[in-house]
Amino acid sequence: MSFQAYLDSIEDKTGLTPRQLIDIAKSRGYDAPDVKAAVILEWLKDDYGLGRGHGMALVQVIKKGPKIDSKHVGTTGSHRDESDTLWLDGKATRKPRE
């Protein structure tokens, strides 16, 4: 599953866009450098029922932003992404690639 597919699936599961979840995380201080992934994962599991894989995808964007390593862009395989910048504003607002 690509990184973007994880984020899209999170939106399906929670009804919230990745950006909305990031904003909630920031309001709780989870973007602070000293906050460990385990704390964020527990919150996502308890409040939204997300498992570790989906949770870690969100931890990545909460802590590091929407950019991902370009080695995953345009490659083959199940983990490839179309862009090195993840779309956080919801599937309905993402424009298809031409």
Side-chain angles (χ1 to χ4, degrees):
M1 180 180 285
S2 74
F3 210 129
Q4 188 66 57
Y6 266 111
L7 296 181
D8 292 347
S9 178
I10 289 167
E11 183 179 353
D12 291 339
K13 290 174 182 276
T14 66
L16 298 169
T17 66
R19 186 164 317 277
Q20 289 171 313
L21 287 164
I22 292 164
D23 290 345
I24 294 167
K26 287 181 178 184
S27 75
R28 293 171 172 241
Y30 292 153
D31 60 331
D34 61 331
V35 175
K36 302 291 184 193
V39 172
I40 301 169
L41 291 173
E42 184 176 341
W43 162 62
L44 293 170
K45 180 181 178 186
D46 291 348
D47 287 10
Y48 302 103
L50 295 180
R52 183 171 178 79
H54 289 87
M56 285 305 292
L58 264 177
V59 167
Q60 169 72 22
V61 293
I62 290 167
K63 299 296 252 175
K64 298 185 178 185
K67 287 281 196 182
I68 59 171
D69 193 312
S70 61
K71 72 180 179 184
H72 300 293
V73 178
T75 61
T76 59
S78 61
H79 297 293
R80 71 182 176 278
D81 278 286
E82 294 181 7
S83 170
D84 67 350
T85 304
L86 300 166
W87 186 255
L88 304 177
D89 294 316
K91 297 184 307 181
T93 64
R94 187 171 60 234
K95 294 179 182 172
R97 288 182 57 101
E98 296 179 9

